[in-house]
Each structure stands twice: as structure tokens, then as C-alpha cells.
Amino acid sequence: MKAYSISENGAQPEVCDLPDPVPVKGEALVRIRACGLNFADLLMIKGKYQETPQAPFILGLEMAGVVEELGPDTDGPAPGTRVAVYSGQGGLAELGCFPASRLVEIPDRMSFEDAAAFQIAYGTSHVALDHRAQMRPGETLLVLGAAGGVGLTAVEIGKLMGATVIACARGADKLQAAKTAGADHLIDAKTQDIRQEVKALGGADVVYDPVGGEQWQAAFRACNPEARLIPIGFASGEVPQIPANHLLVKNLTVLGLYWGGYLKFRPDVLTDSMKTLLGWYDQGRLKPHVSHVLPLERAAEGLELLRSRASTGKVVITP
């Protein structure tokens, strides 16, 4: 099979030929039809992600495809079933063996591209806003990086949950994507003062931040009393330092979120969230935004789109 693999620690990934995998007990063999790219893939290449596998390994955290075979004595979706999988690796290949317990059957109306773009981005935003921040209808949600893979889903889910959504992104094209996703107010991070603009709109009750750096600092200073701030990631490359005295004065709460971490200690949070999200999708209430669909041979180009922030929504690779 073809795969986009890292052969040894420190090496750059490349498309190569590998033996077809064979499922063992507890696994399912999936014919991969689409794989969503994530910022974590870039961190894995550098060996800086919190769960970077030991080389050799195949990149690709989330994918969708068709079950081809179950391992011996394994219960799971029957061969021919359309599924999505979050595995943390192995998605950028034609075939993959994954724990059968992680396979999620996808609705008939859901394309493989949508399914591959769905789990991490929508799951992260829903768990962040619903489970962690417990956001209430009528509150004001500020989304930084609002045109990115997770940012757009936070805008979309925030509106579904009844929030007034302020979207912050860089440039008119990206702001238009956020507006299409349902944002009520738009802030151009290139030209406008985030703190000043948010305060003029009444301040933020919840901050959703996959960016970090200066944008975090501006958002932090535009929070209302009892606001909740959710650091999702640090696409700016700068992990902000949080002044505890300011938390005290405004009664603020910072809520860390690593979506994949729930698999280890509370998988029911992810299961319940995904059930809700797939239901919303089936009702036509969610529409994944995929800006680029590329073949496996162009996986490096897809990752560069993420690195340079040239994409909106998700980039999907089709092995």
C-alpha cells in the first residue's frame, strides 16, 4: 500500500510503499478513503506533539473509509460499513488497522471527506463549549483563529448553542468564511485592536483560543467578570503566561482542553458528544468546511497549507 510515513525520528515524511496491514484480535482493517489534516501532524513531524509515536509511523490522526475485515474473535461493524476513526496516527495511507472499538458508523448522507474533517474539529469545539465551559444561551463567545479547522466549528456550534459569536481572523476572505458559519461580529486581527473591539461589543463571556500569543493577551483583557477562557492550542507558536492576580480580580476561569485525552479517562464524554454532533449533521444543522481536497502524493502540500495558514476550515487528503 501507499503511505505517507516517517521512517525514523527526525526524518521528514515521504510517500512510500509499505506492506498491507493485517488486523489482529480487537482490530478492524479499514480501506481509507479520506484523512483530515491537523496542526498536530505538523508537531509530530518535529517530535513536539504530546503523543508523538515512535518512528516508524504513518501520519494522519483522523480518517474515514470502509471496513474490509475484522480481526479474529473481534466484534465491530461488519465489512462494508462506512466508518470514521480517530486513532492518532495511520490515516495517511490506503489501508489501516485500528481498534474496532473506536470505529464510528457515519450517516449515509455524510461524505468520506466530511467524515474525515469532522471528529477532531467538531468534537473539540463541542466538548470545549458544552462540557468544559458550560456555555449558556445569550452569552458572548469570542473565537480566535475563527477561520481555521477548529475555529470555524466553534463559530458554528456556538451559534447552535445560542451564543452571540465574535469571530477574529486575519483578512477579509477568512472573515467571510466565519460569517458564513454564523458569526455575528467580525474582527480582523491584521488591522483591528482585538481588546478594544471586543470591549466595544460588551466583552467576552467565553474565549475559545487555538492561537495563543498576543491574541490571547488581548482577549484576556477583554473578558467580562466570571468569563471562561479555553486554550485549545498555540498556532502562533507562543504559549501565553497567565497572570493569576488578574484571574482573581475578575473571577476568571481558565479551562484547559485536550480532546483526545478523554479517551484515556472519560471516553463517555467523547461518545456522548459525537452522538449529538452526528445527529446535528444528519439534521442538516452542521456543514463542515473543507477548503482543499488533495491526493496522497500532495500530502506535503496540504500540510504546508496548514503551516502557512493559507487554508480555511479543513484540508483533507484522499488516499
Side-chain angles (χ1 to χ4, degrees):
M1 69 173 186
K2 297 286 186 184
Y4 192 60
S5 176
I6 292 179
S7 59
E8 58 184 28
N9 292 336
Q12 288 298 303
E14 58 183 2
V15 178
C16 57
D17 290 302
L18 296 175
D20 289 357
V22 177
V24 299
K25 184 177 181 179
E27 291 185 336
L29 176 66
V30 176
R31 173 72 60 178
I32 299 169
R33 298 288 298 276
C35 176
L37 298 185
N38 291 275
F39 195 76
D41 291 306
L42 295 172
L43 296 177
M44 281 190 185
I45 293 171
K46 297 179 179 180
K48 293 183 177 180
Y49 190 58
Q50 59 261 35
E51 292 190 5
T52 300
Q54 285 295 312
F57 68 93
I58 298 167
L59 288 165
L61 281 75
E62 58 180 336
M63 69 289 313
V66 178
V67 177
E68 290 220 336
E69 180 185 350
L70 294 173
D73 302 318
T74 297
D75 293 325
T81 304
R82 302 169 75 251
V83 297
V85 191
Y86 169 75
S87 67
Q89 61 174 300
L92 289 174
E94 294 175 321
L95 293 164
C97 288
F98 308 106
S101 61
R102 291 196 183 181
L103 304 187
V104 177
E105 294 189 36
I106 58 177
D108 291 339
R109 67 186 298 272
M110 183 177 248
S111 69
F112 290 117
E113 290 80 7
D114 277 1
F118 196 82
Q119 290 188 94
I120 294 176
Y122 279 100
T124 295
S125 293
H126 184 249
V127 172
L129 299 178
D130 183 60
H131 178 69
R132 295 293 281 148
Q134 298 182 25
M135 190 172 68
R136 300 178 294 274
E139 291 193 304
T140 296
L141 167 65
L142 171 61
V143 181
L144 304 179
V150 292
L152 273 179
T153 64
V155 171
E156 201 173 359
I157 290 172
K159 284 302 296 180
L160 276 178
M161 292 179 64
T164 297
V165 179
I166 305 171
C168 180
R170 299 176 67 84
D173 290 347
K174 292 189 174 184
L175 288 172
Q176 182 56 49
K179 183 177 181 180
T180 300
D184 298 287
H185 305 284
L186 306 174
I187 298 175
D188 191 333
K190 279 185 176 181
T191 60
Q192 294 178 281
D193 184 311
I194 295 172
R195 179 194 181 195
Q196 179 179 316
E197 295 295 331
V198 173
K199 288 181 73 68
L201 291 168
D205 301 307
V206 177
V207 175
Y208 181 98
D209 179 20
V211 179
E214 293 181 357
Q215 291 193 30
W216 166 278
Q217 300 296 345
F220 188 90
R221 298 172 71 188
C223 281
N224 293 325
E226 293 194 330
R228 289 87 73 206
L229 300 98
I230 317 165
I232 302 297
F234 313 104
S236 67
E238 181 182 341
V239 178
Q241 302 304 302
I242 300 168
N245 58 322
H246 290 193
L247 295 179
L248 181 152
V249 170
K250 279 194 172 182
N251 293 291
L252 303 179
T253 303
V254 178
L255 300 162
L257 176 71
Y258 170 40
W259 179 80
Y262 278 97
L263 284 171
K264 295 180 179 179
F265 66 96
R266 280 204 61 188
D268 60 294
V269 171
L270 302 191
T271 301
D272 293 345
S273 171
M274 196 54 54
K275 182 178 180 180
T276 297
L277 291 167
L278 288 172
W280 284 347
Y281 180 95
D282 214 22
Q283 296 164 12
R285 302 177 72 189
L286 297 177
K287 185 174 177 56
H289 180 90
V290 178
S291 64
H292 296 79
V293 178
L294 303 171
L296 186 63
E297 292 73 20
R298 296 172 65 185
E301 181 182 336
L303 288 169
E304 181 56 32
L305 289 169
L306 295 189
R307 184 182 292 108
S308 63
R309 303 188 201 179
S311 60
T312 55
K314 294 286 283 191
V315 177
V316 171
I317 303 298
T318 53

